[in-house]
Amino acid sequence: MDEQNKLIEQMLEFGYSKEISLKVIKKCGAKTIDEALNWIELTEENDYQEDIPFGETTVEGGNGGNGSNGSNGSNGGNGSSGGDNDNRCNRNEDASALGGRVSPGGGMTSTGSGEIKAKLTPEEAQKKAIELQKKIREKKLIKEKEEELLRERNRIAMAKEAQKRKEQIEEFERKKYIENFEKEKNEHKKEKEKQLELLRREYEAKFGIAYKSENEKKKNIDDLTENEKREEIAILLNNLKNKQKNKKNELVSSLNILKTYFSNIKNNILEKKFQKIKKENKIFVEKIKIYEEMINILLLVGFQDSGEFYVIKNYPNTYLLASAIKFIDLVIKNVNP
């Protein structure tokens, strides 16, 4: 039904009435405008006789001419013989489906409903058909462009959705990675604190003083109290023991030299010669200077760097000297159980 209505609209554009269009479609079963126009043209050629003068108008339809009176052959008809026209009209039922038309030479066409339309020449009909085909092609192109635009919009929408989904997945994975990283970091921190606490307890059990970790802020030697210096001496000796596990004999030999320095000062408190150590002394270079921890211990018990010598300028601190000797003995005992 939609195709038929479309065909009727096309025939209306060619100048035919709706009634004629319906009759033509019913008679010839046309599906396209070209088929309908061809059928109309063929019917017109077969319907007219050669004796009709070129350009003479023939009117068909109307209110029933009786053939005896030309004036009664049609409403408003101008033919010279109404009866002859009426006979021709009745001769071909297919031709009467058009309701009225002009002769092959041109003129006006009168429909059964009284409508008067100008008949199209073959050239005009062809031109009209070409224009119609052009319009159809243009509409088709417009439709194709609209469909292509719709497909492109859908493609862009799908691409945006895919990108959004990808970003969501990446964000989820990033958060998951950070969460796992923080979890591992916290577990590592807890384990480190646990091990540090065990080390602290072990250290305090061995040396009887509070353990001070390497990460704790170190003060200048002059800013340390006696107890802080004492703790620092213990820490340095413990570090030295741990570093020199594979060189125990050399370490014990050096510790004995250091202990001798401190014992001589403690036992001969007024003798200045024991309170001075030459930096270039062979024994000092080979046994003491090679260990940074021992140099720091010298400074902690009261020695100062004067350039060529390490000297105790003020009165010796026997408390720190005695503590250092005690810690040295403990380390030697642990190294050589």
Side-chain angles (χ1 to χ4, degrees):
M1 184 60 67
D2 292 338
E3 294 180 357
Q4 181 175 329
N5 292 336
K6 187 175 181 180
L7 182 57
I8 291 172
E9 291 178 359
Q10 293 174 350
M11 292 187 69
L12 290 174
E13 292 180 1
F14 277 91
Y16 295 99
S17 67
K18 185 174 182 179
E19 182 181 359
I20 293 175
S21 300
L22 288 171
K23 289 181 179 180
V24 170
I25 294 171
K26 183 177 179 181
K27 286 290 182 180
C28 67
K31 300 295 183 181
T32 64
I33 187 65
D34 290 337
E35 293 178 359
L37 293 176
N38 290 336
W39 186 86
I40 292 172
E41 184 177 358
L42 181 62
T43 303
E44 288 177 347
E45 291 177 355
N46 294 335
D47 186 54
Y48 290 98
Q49 295 180 351
E50 295 179 356
D51 58 349
I52 298 177
F54 182 81
E56 182 179 352
T57 302
T58 302
V59 181
E60 298 180 358
N63 293 326
N66 55 18
S68 61
N69 190 346
S71 62
N72 295 327
S74 175
N75 289 337
N78 294 325
S80 61
S81 176
D84 292 339
N85 291 339
D86 188 54
N87 290 335
R88 282 195 298 271
C89 181
N90 294 330
R91 183 177 66 239
N92 193 331
E93 184 179 355
D94 290 342
S96 66
L98 297 177
R101 54 190 172 274
V102 298
S103 63
M108 302 298 291
T109 298
S110 175
T111 66
S113 60
E115 296 179 359
I116 298 176
K117 300 274 184 184
K119 180 182 180 296
L120 297 175
T121 63
E123 292 79 7
E124 291 174 337
Q126 184 179 9
K127 183 179 179 181
K128 194 75 173 178
I130 292 173
E131 291 176 355
L132 181 61
Q133 291 175 358
K134 183 178 179 181
K135 289 181 180 180
I136 293 173
R137 285 195 298 270
E138 289 176 352
K139 290 180 180 180
K140 184 178 179 181
L141 289 174
I142 292 173
K143 185 178 180 181
E144 289 177 351
K145 289 181 179 179
E146 290 176 351
E147 291 176 350
E148 179 64 24
L149 182 60
L150 181 60
R151 286 194 295 269
E152 181 65 15
R153 288 176 179 173
N154 292 336
R155 186 190 67 78
I156 293 173
M158 291 177 64
K160 288 182 177 180
E161 183 65 24
Q163 181 65 23
K164 182 179 179 181
R165 182 64 177 169
K166 181 181 178 182
E167 291 175 356
Q168 290 176 345
I169 294 174
E170 290 177 351
E171 180 66 15
F172 173 78
E173 292 178 349
R174 186 183 70 84
K175 289 182 178 179
K176 187 176 180 181
Y177 172 79
I178 293 174
E179 182 180 349
N180 292 335
F181 178 78
E182 291 294 332
K183 184 178 179 181
E184 292 178 359
K185 184 178 178 181
N186 292 333
E187 290 177 354
H188 178 73
K189 183 178 179 181
K190 289 180 180 179
E191 182 64 23
K192 185 177 180 180
E193 291 175 352
K194 181 180 178 181
Q195 295 298 327
L196 183 60
E197 181 63 24
L198 293 174
L199 178 62
R200 189 188 304 276
R201 291 178 182 179
E202 181 182 357
Y203 181 85
E204 291 176 354
K206 285 184 178 181
F207 298 102
I209 58 175
Y211 174 79
K212 187 176 181 181
S213 65
E214 295 180 357
N215 293 331
E216 294 179 7
K217 185 177 180 180
K218 294 183 179 181
K219 298 179 181 179
N220 292 328
I221 292 176
D222 295 337
D223 297 331
L224 297 175
T225 64
E226 281 190 345
N227 287 332
E228 288 176 339
K229 290 179 180 180
R230 183 174 182 271
E231 291 177 2
E232 189 67 23
I233 291 170
I235 292 171
L236 290 171
L237 288 170
N238 188 60
N239 291 340
L240 191 60
K241 179 193 71 173
N242 294 331
K243 288 181 180 179
Q244 303 299 323
K245 288 182 179 180
N246 298 327
K247 297 180 180 180
K248 294 180 180 180
N249 294 332
E250 292 85 347
L251 177 61
V252 171
S253 176
S254 296
L255 288 173
N256 284 325
I257 297 297
L258 187 63
K259 178 183 176 182
T260 300
Y261 286 152
F262 296 160
S263 297
N264 287 336
I265 297 171
K266 180 177 176 291
N267 296 331
N268 302 280
I269 197 70
L270 299 177
E271 294 289 339
K272 291 292 184 180
K273 65 178 181 179
F274 296 118
Q275 300 175 16
K276 181 186 294 185
I277 302 173
K278 189 176 183 179
K279 290 183 178 180
E280 300 301 325
N281 182 275
K282 183 179 180 181
I283 295 176
F284 179 82
V285 172
E286 293 178 354
K287 299 293 184 179
I288 304 299
K289 193 176 181 179
I290 59 175
Y291 300 112
E292 182 181 356
E293 290 85 355
M294 291 189 180
I295 299 298
N296 290 331
I297 291 172
L298 286 173
L299 298 174
L300 286 167
V301 298
F303 281 91
Q304 296 180 12
D305 187 353
S306 63
E308 186 179 356
F309 296 91
Y310 283 107
V311 297
I312 296 177
K313 294 182 179 181
N314 299 321
Y315 192 80
N317 190 324
T318 55
Y319 171 73
L320 292 176
L321 290 170
S323 298
I325 293 170
K326 177 182 177 181
F327 294 146
I328 290 171
D329 288 337
L330 287 173
V331 172
I332 293 174
K333 183 178 179 180
N334 289 329
V335 172
N336 295 319

